[in-house]
Amino acid sequence: MFIGWIRKKSFSVDLESFNSQIIIDKSLVLKTFDDNNSLCFGAYNANKLVAFISAYEMEHSILINNFYYLEDISKDIKKRLIKLLLDNINEDEKPILIMANKNEKDIFTSFEFKEYAKFKKAVYGGETVAFNFTNATSKSITNENYLPVMTSIDKRAFNENRVEYTKHVLLKDSSLILSTKFGYQHSYSIGKSLVKISPWVMEDAAFSDAEKMIRGVIYHRGLKRIFAFIPSDVKEITDLYKSYKFDLSDEYTLFYKNTKPSINLEMLYAF
């Protein structure tokens, strides 16, 4: 087993083989790698990629935005991969963030990550939901001038500028951006049948606009499975997803290491 820097020359081929065995956000992996491959590492078994981790450095935080591994990968291999990444992050003050599932909790706490907030993975499986979606509603949430809204509202929600990450790493041909003056929602395809909402940020108490956006994403993406990571303890947000038949059974935790971040969870409809 080799654990170290990504093999650049064969990475595209290695990733294709890896992607055939596990569903990954391939575009996010490749764009993160292209932006800064010094924070991208892999585990190889007999020259085959079996695990991958990466991080993206923002204005005031560092986000571990990809952590994938095949089912039979041991906890020791996962820990070695995380340690390698942390050893190469030349920053001991910025918060390092990771959205982890319940099976990864022990791994990240062993590296002194602390719980920031509990999250749910909200999953829409295409169930029929009766709602009106008129042309007037569609026009009200397709504001093309979304960048000023995104810039302003991200700053208030995350206390940092995350626009470059959304524009240059998350944005892709399949992206759908819905916005009003009270917030925006970005969703994009992962493969042929899966859609992720990330990020979705709204002003406090902008429930009416948020409901229009969840109707919009279901209307435009409804034949596919849709998922998002949402804060468990914000009732207004969890109730909205439940009312549109999203399943909220999978538990996740947003962990941080180093300085505790300041995130307004009541504005965060999808991380």
Side-chain angles (χ1 to χ4, degrees), residues 57-110:
E57 186 168 4
M58 300 192 195
E59 182 184 17
H60 299 307
S61 68
I62 297 170
L63 176 64
I64 299 177
N65 62 347
N66 292 292
F67 183 38
Y68 294 112
Y69 42 83
L70 300 186
E71 187 175 353
D72 59 349
I73 296 302
S74 69
K75 183 178 290 188
D76 177 64
I77 298 300
K78 297 172 191 175
K79 283 187 173 183
R80 288 170 60 188
L81 199 56
I82 295 168
K83 184 178 185 303
L84 182 59
L85 172 64
L86 295 177
D87 287 347
N88 280 273
I89 293 177
N90 299 316
E91 179 64 62
D92 57 5
E93 293 185 1
K94 279 186 177 182
I96 304 172
L97 303 172
I98 174 71
M99 186 70 71
N101 64 44
K102 60 184 180 181
N103 296 323
E104 296 166 343
K105 181 176 181 179
D106 291 345
I107 298 175
F108 285 102
T109 54
S110 71

Side-chain angles (χ1 to χ4, degrees), residues 215-227:
R215 291 182 180 190
V217 74
I218 291 173
Y219 178 81
H220 290 292
R221 310 283 204 177
L223 295 178
K224 296 184 177 182
R225 288 174 61 82
I226 305 169
F227 76 97

Side-chain angles (χ1 to χ4, degrees), residues 3 19 32 76 78 95 115 124 137 156 194 212 214 237:
I3 299 175
N19 192 31
T32 303
D76 177 64
K78 297 172 191 175
E115 180 181 309
Y124 176 78
T137 300
R156 293 199 295 280
L194 191 62
K212 290 177 184 178
I214 201 167
I237 295 176

Side-chain angles (χ1 to χ4, degrees), residues 141-165:
I141 58 174
T142 54
N143 178 10
E144 294 180 358
N145 191 27
Y146 65 87
L147 281 176
V149 174
M150 182 186 294
T151 303
S152 173
I153 204 165
D154 269 11
K155 191 76 173 179
R156 293 199 295 280
F158 296 102
N159 283 288
E160 67 176 340
N161 187 344
R162 292 168 52 98
V163 174
E164 291 303 306
Y165 179 68

